């Protein structure tokens, strides 16, 4: 099965962050993303990895 690709607004909703912060996470490579015909997409596994990494730092 193909992995789900999330849009920036979907990631914003899931993380409860603003657009600028999500793009900052992408720019600093803390959140992995790809471009599909010029549109930025975040694999759902990358979002899971980001959240796991943040939880690891908090522990």
């Amino acid at each position: 099965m193909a992995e789900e690709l999330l849009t920036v607004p979907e990631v914003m909703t899931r993380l409860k962050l603003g657009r600028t912060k999500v793009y900052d996470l992408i720019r600093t490579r803390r959140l992995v993303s790809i471009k599909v015909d010029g549109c930025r997409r975040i694999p759902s596994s990358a979002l899971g990895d980001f959240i796991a990494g943040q939880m690891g730092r908090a522990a």
Side-chain angles (χ1 to χ4, degrees):
M1 182 172 139
E3 182 165 8
E4 182 180 16
L5 295 175
L6 305 170
T7 64
V8 169
E10 289 171 330
V11 172
M12 289 167 52
T13 300
R14 291 184 188 199
L15 293 179
K16 309 256 189 294
L17 295 173
R19 174 184 169 93
T20 302
K21 183 61 179 178
V22 172
Y23 276 107
D24 184 54
L25 292 172
I26 291 169
R27 182 183 54 77
T28 59
R29 299 179 187 225
R30 292 175 58 202
L31 183 60
V32 175
S33 70
I34 61 171
K35 272 191 155 183
V36 178
D37 291 334
C39 299
R40 188 64 61 183
R41 297 293 182 258
I42 298 90
S44 57
S45 64
L47 184 58
D49 292 344
F50 171 76
I51 293 169
Q54 291 300 111
M55 292 181 72
R57 287 186 198 185

